[in-house]
Amino acid sequence: MLHVLDHPLITHKLTIMRDKNTGTKDFRELLYEISMLMAYEITRDLPLEDVEIETPICKTTGRMISGKKLAVVPILRAGLGMADGFLKIAPAAKVGHIGLYRDHETAKPVLYYYKMPEDISERLVIVTDPMLATGGSAADALTMLKKNGCKNIRLMCLVGAPEGAKLLEELHPDVDIYIAAMDDHLNERKYIVPGLGDAGDRIFGTL
Ligand code: PRP
Ligand code: URA
């Protein structure tokens, strides 16, 4: 299922990120802030359990997060920019990494790194990648995680194209997608229109 998180704070910050005059420092900070806001929504349905505590006044029953532990899995490089914000909200989460780059000729993803925490299959996994263009990178990442035994996966993106959302709906209908904006289409180079350009280059200043 596709969840568009178009809260005014998120949409406002995303508009500044889209502006070509926004530099690396601001771009990275805004992505961090948006990721924290999105993490709040993505974790909204985590189960709680009763715990007994004592306040300075009396004994009472509080509620804390129970059940499955979290893992965040950025798709390198650009996904790193979203993982930091998520980890600020969920600092006990473990971190896996999937290195994929899009071949410039074919726009197909090429794998160069894969490293997961040992107990990844027992965790609720949040895959992060700001851009969902053709959907090829996200689809490959989700396939690898499922081969690794992961059953509970969510995808956190910033900007998507209908083409990418359609591919994931076909290949991974069980994975909920959380995204700040669905844009119009892909151009002839498979870049999102209007989009924000190359997310990795804008985060790391490699333009
Ligand atoms: C970008 C982006 C996604 C991918 C999206 O990565 O971060 O991973 O492209 O495109 P897709 O949906 O068509 O697969 P890129 O290949 O530019 O690598 P980078 O993050 O290292 O810059
Ligand atoms: N990757 C990006 O960084 N931007 C796009 O628009 C498409 C793929």
Side-chain angles (χ1 to χ4, degrees), residues 145-186:
L145 287 166
K146 287 179 181 176
K147 277 195 188 139
N148 220 159
C150 299
K151 288 168 230 43
N152 209 339
I153 312 175
R154 297 175 184 184
L155 177 65
M156 171 169 157
C157 300
L158 188 66
V159 179
E163 293 88 332
K166 184 165 173 284
L167 185 76
L168 292 190
E169 179 55 35
E170 281 162 19
L171 299 182
H172 299 287
D174 55 309
V175 175
D176 278 357
I177 305 168
Y178 296 82
I179 199 157
M182 279 304 292
D183 278 9
D184 200 58
H185 65 279
L186 297 177

Side-chain angles (χ1 to χ4, degrees), residues 5-148:
L5 303 183
D6 53 1
H7 186 287
L9 286 172
I10 294 176
T11 304
H12 177 94
K13 290 173 192 290
L14 174 57
T15 299
I16 302 172
M17 292 181 73
R18 289 183 189 275
D19 188 330
K20 68 176 185 183
N21 296 315
T22 298
T24 296
K25 176 177 173 289
D26 288 341
F27 190 92
R28 203 186 294 138
E29 282 174 7
L30 288 159
L31 185 59
Y32 181 76
E33 290 166 11
I34 290 177
S35 305
M36 282 197 285
L37 295 168
M38 292 184 76
Y40 180 76
E41 278 301 322
I42 292 173
T43 53
R44 179 177 282 283
D45 63 347
L46 291 187
L48 294 168
E49 64 186 0
D50 288 351
V51 290
E52 303 306 316
I53 58 156
E54 196 168 346
T55 74
I57 309 298
C58 67
K59 289 190 173 170
T60 187
T61 304
R63 309 202 78 206
M64 293 182 82
I65 291 168
S66 71
K68 284 201 167 42
K69 295 203 163 60
L70 291 167
V72 57
V73 176
I75 300 178
L76 308 182
R77 292 174 300 162
L80 289 170
M82 296 195 97
D84 289 344
F86 190 91
L87 285 166
K88 183 71 181 170
I89 300 299
K94 288 198 174 172
V95 183
H97 294 89
I98 300 180
L100 286 169
Y101 70 86
R102 271 195 347 173
D103 182 275
H104 278 294
E105 298 293 316
T106 63
K108 299 279 182 221
V110 181
L111 180 69
Y112 61 89
Y113 191 71
Y114 185 89
K115 181 85 177 172
M116 290 300 138
E118 213 176 316
D119 61 352
I120 189 74
S121 63
E122 292 150 36
R123 290 178 177 264
L124 167 58
V125 179
I126 313 294
V127 177
T128 64
D129 192 338
M131 307 310 278
L132 179 67
T134 65
S137 304
D140 280 10
L142 296 173
T143 300
M144 285 182 258
L145 287 166
K146 287 179 181 176
K147 277 195 188 139
N148 220 159

